[in-house]
Amino acid sequence: MNNKVYYILLVVLFSFNYDIKAQDPKVEIPLSDVLNTLEKRYEYRFNYVENTILGIDVIPPSESLSIKEAIDYLQVQTNLVFNFLEGNFISINRNNDLILCGYLKDKDTQSPLAFATIQGKQKSTISNENGYFELKVNSINEEITIRFLGYKSIYRQYKFFKTDSCNPIYLLAEQQALNQVILSNYLVEGINKLSTGDLEIDFKKFNILPGLIEADVLHSVQAFPGVHSINETVSNINIRGGTHDQNLILWDDIKMYQSGHFFGLISAFNQQITHKVSLFKNGTSTDYSDGVSGTIAMQTDQRVNQKFKGNISFNLIDANAFTDIPVGKKSSVQIAARKSLNDFVSTPTYKEYFSRISQDTELENNNILVLNTDQQFDFYDTSLRWIYRPGEKDVIRFNFININNELIFNENATVDNQEKSRESSVKQNSIAGGIFYQRKWNDNFQTTLQVYETDYKLKAINANLFESQRFLQENVVSETGARIKSSYHLNDRFILHTGYQFIETEVTNLDDVDVPLIRTLISDVVRTHSGFSQIDFRSNNKQTNLAVGFRYNYLDKFKKHIYEPRLSFYQKFLEYFGFEISGEFKHQTVSQVINFQNDFLGVEKRRWQMSNNEDIPVIESKQASIALNYSQKGWLFSTEGYYKNVDGITTQSQGFQNQYEFVKTDGKYEVIGVDMLVRKRFRNINLWLSYSIMDNEYMFEDLPEQRFPSNLDISQAVTFGTTYKHKGFKFSAGLNWHTGKPTTRPVLNNEIVEEEINYNATNSSRLEDYFRIDASMIYEFKIENVTANIGASVWNVIDNENEINNYYRINEDNMAQEFVQNALGLTPNVVVRFYF
């Protein structure tokens, strides 16, 4: 070999050796600096304990190496163990150590759980912001404990973990662990029935329902059998024949007295910040008071978010924005806001909604000599949830919500040859806030404390130009509540809950006329002290679930004692069958009266009133139900029969518009009914058919007719729906049919007697049957790094003129004239949403 060739070979070998070792073969730098450089170069991240790499210096690997080659080089140079993990992560451990590593995740959402405690016999650690942890153990038989507040703890020996790599380890939320899902995808994906008997909607998994492109919280619950709205609103939800005021509506356990925007056409609760909603028709936990007909409990996300996220959307009614902002590593803030768009544009959907709320109001039926102008309507809501986990044992949460609806218009007329104009308005507002604190003292015992304040105000100013008169009306509810509760795990099967609740409710009603000066102000306060206890049982094989409890209530103003037993039982048998029994006693002191004549311009006809335990009794209810379910291979058959008795209602709270419109007396109603559901789930398609039948009757001893059909007696109802899902596309369509609302018509050919309408037997007739077809679709896609979705819906596709109410008045010709109110006609909507 000549010298020239030899020289060339030396150069090649030197260059190769140089590339393999490092950019600079003579300079060693800290391993931590090398790892930082590699993270930027290859877009990988390293997980390790600081002590693992402390004091280790190394010559950096060449830039020409691949990530795998660079890691192989570092393993040789450092004698450390590098493991490639999912998601472009690499773990680093000391050689020959017995190490447990993994990623802690929420089983439901797959989101990482940061700052969870992982405890061995001698050592412990916490998970980082990605849920990652490493723990050195001494033996494969060493027991590892994984704890995170709000989740069921894991106790497991090292040898029973997957240790071939750093695998995900899933934790189950504690409430979900207690409330076992017995029927998943009850109607569609994201709707489940739990062992406690309640139906739960998880909006993180929620698919789509007919006619809804937004997951409207209170419209969604109306998809369940036995839940209707007699006038197609969210401010008049009827659970098994009850009135809307008999529903307990909670937002993170804060009682709300206002439920709708657009005076009831859409939910007042922003779906972006509402994580779950549960519907209790019977067998309610002893935690809850009020709501003799049912309970609708909304809940925000209880997890601390580690990454900034949010979205913004627009539809033909409003604009909506949501953001979830990490505040340090132990807390996060969620903020949601929504506002109507009619200040900027008047869409066909807005016009249809406005026409609907204007029916039979001063907006539509003012004096013939009065011209209404400058009509302005606006609604908005703002919601906030801050959650803070200072340690593994404590959770602090703060909630705030503000809901507002306002309608303003000018009334114009010529009076005594002069042009006059005065403003009339109606405003509905709710402001509420609460503080929640939970502490887990140990694995068996935890306590919770909550304090809240909720305030509701309905105000109307009605101008009378011809009388130069101003009529002011106000309805105000102010409530303060506090509850402390403890939960103790007696063993693996039994949990004992005990607690105390205090509620102070003040209701004020004002009627004020300036000419002549007439002012009526009525304010009532009731304080309720309640103690409750409940024991939950779950068999080891999870086939049997039992919750039995008792609630004692003392109403100090009336010196009244009320005792309320509660029961919820579920038994699974023959593998595919489930049997349920539920029962409860409940009461409430606040209800609504309805005045169809002149209250609040006729736009919002309901006002809250306090019981006086005399002519306005404390309402008390008794319920019992029994259900049988069968579920196999995508099929679900469910049948539930129930009985409900509600005593203490008044005629004023039932909305009579017949011979009993101005009669004041109290009585009760009794409902017997059956709810049935059939659902079939295919790979991408869901089909369901529900049928409800009920017999709902009033009993008023002081009326000439002591027993007659309820105003809310929807004797038969059918819903059919289907959903289809493929990749980013979702479609849903369905129909709703039910028998017409009971009504009272005048006696034919003898309508007027002694200048009054001569009615037939009360509620002996019905309106035309109700029928509606809806459809909706949503498509999700990506634009570069931005996820977006667009959607469209049509409510009442066939534009059917559904009658939802009627009444009669004597006209100028001394004849009984019928007035009919119709539901929404064909109403389209479109949504566009961007996620960031």
Side-chain angles (χ1 to χ4, degrees), residues 768-793:
E768 294 293 323
D769 289 354
Y770 179 98
F771 182 74
R772 189 185 83 236
I773 295 176
D774 307 318
S776 53
M777 63 79 63
I778 294 176
Y779 178 66
E780 185 173 296
F781 58 96
K782 282 192 175 183
I783 305 175
E784 294 183 353
N785 295 324
V786 177
T787 301
N789 64 42
I790 58 173
S793 68

Side-chain angles (χ1 to χ4, degrees), residues 459-512:
K459 177 182 178 180
I461 298 176
N462 191 353
N464 187 329
L465 296 173
F466 295 98
E467 300 293 335
S468 298
Q469 185 183 79
R470 185 269 297 142
F471 182 26
L472 168 66
Q473 292 180 293
E474 289 185 358
N475 177 222
V476 179
V477 181
S478 180
E479 181 171 294
T480 303
R483 179 173 64 194
I484 184 169
K485 177 186 174 182
S486 69
S487 299
Y488 181 66
H489 289 247
L490 301 173
N491 53 43
D492 291 341
R493 293 177 296 171
F494 289 91
I495 304 175
L496 176 65
H497 307 279
T498 57
Y500 165 78
Q501 186 175 29
F502 169 77
I503 300 175
E504 179 184 85
T505 308
E506 180 180 16
V507 180
T508 302
N509 280 288
L510 170 68
D511 291 310
D512 186 302

Side-chain angles (χ1 to χ4, degrees), residues 482-581:
R483 179 173 64 194
I484 184 169
K485 177 186 174 182
S486 69
S487 299
Y488 181 66
H489 289 247
L490 301 173
N491 53 43
D492 291 341
R493 293 177 296 171
F494 289 91
I495 304 175
L496 176 65
H497 307 279
T498 57
Y500 165 78
Q501 186 175 29
F502 169 77
I503 300 175
E504 179 184 85
T505 308
E506 180 180 16
V507 180
T508 302
N509 280 288
L510 170 68
D511 291 310
D512 186 302
V513 179
D514 59 350
V515 180
L517 184 59
I518 302 173
R519 180 180 174 87
T520 303
L521 178 66
I522 301 174
S523 183
D524 295 295
V525 179
V526 169
R527 298 176 183 88
T528 304
H529 302 267
S530 302
F532 57 89
S533 182
Q534 179 173 302
I535 190 162
D536 296 340
F537 167 80
R538 178 190 288 185
S539 62
N540 290 332
N541 60 7
K542 299 183 180 181
Q543 303 290 301
T544 305
N545 288 270
L546 172 68
V548 59
F550 183 81
R551 185 179 179 97
Y552 164 74
N553 307 277
Y554 177 69
L555 282 56
D556 63 352
K557 183 176 183 179
F558 313 131
K559 297 182 179 179
K560 186 179 181 70
H561 305 268
I562 299 177
Y563 307 96
E564 297 175 344
R566 310 279 175 87
L567 171 69
S568 176
F569 172 75
Y570 170 76
Q571 177 65 55
K572 186 176 181 179
F573 66 100
L574 297 180
E575 190 173 357
Y576 306 115
F577 289 87
F579 176 72
E580 300 174 68
I581 297 178

Side-chain angles (χ1 to χ4, degrees), residues 204 251-252 254 272-275 299-307 309 322-327 330-336 382-389 395-401 432-434 436:
K204 295 289 185 182
W251 185 72
D252 263 351
I254 300 171
Q272 299 300 316
I273 203 171
T274 304
H275 179 56
Q299 186 182 66
T300 59
D301 195 347
Q302 303 303 299
R303 303 172 181 88
V304 175
N305 179 43
Q306 299 296 320
K307 295 182 180 179
K309 61 181 179 180
F322 167 78
T323 184
D324 194 344
I325 308 169
V327 183
K330 297 184 178 182
S331 75
S332 63
V333 175
Q334 289 187 344
I335 302 172
T382 305
S383 311
L384 180 146
R385 185 239 61 188
W386 172 68
I387 191 164
Y388 174 51
R389 295 181 181 269
V395 175
I396 299 171
R397 186 186 72 226
F398 172 75
N399 296 88
F400 172 81
I401 188 170
F436 171 89

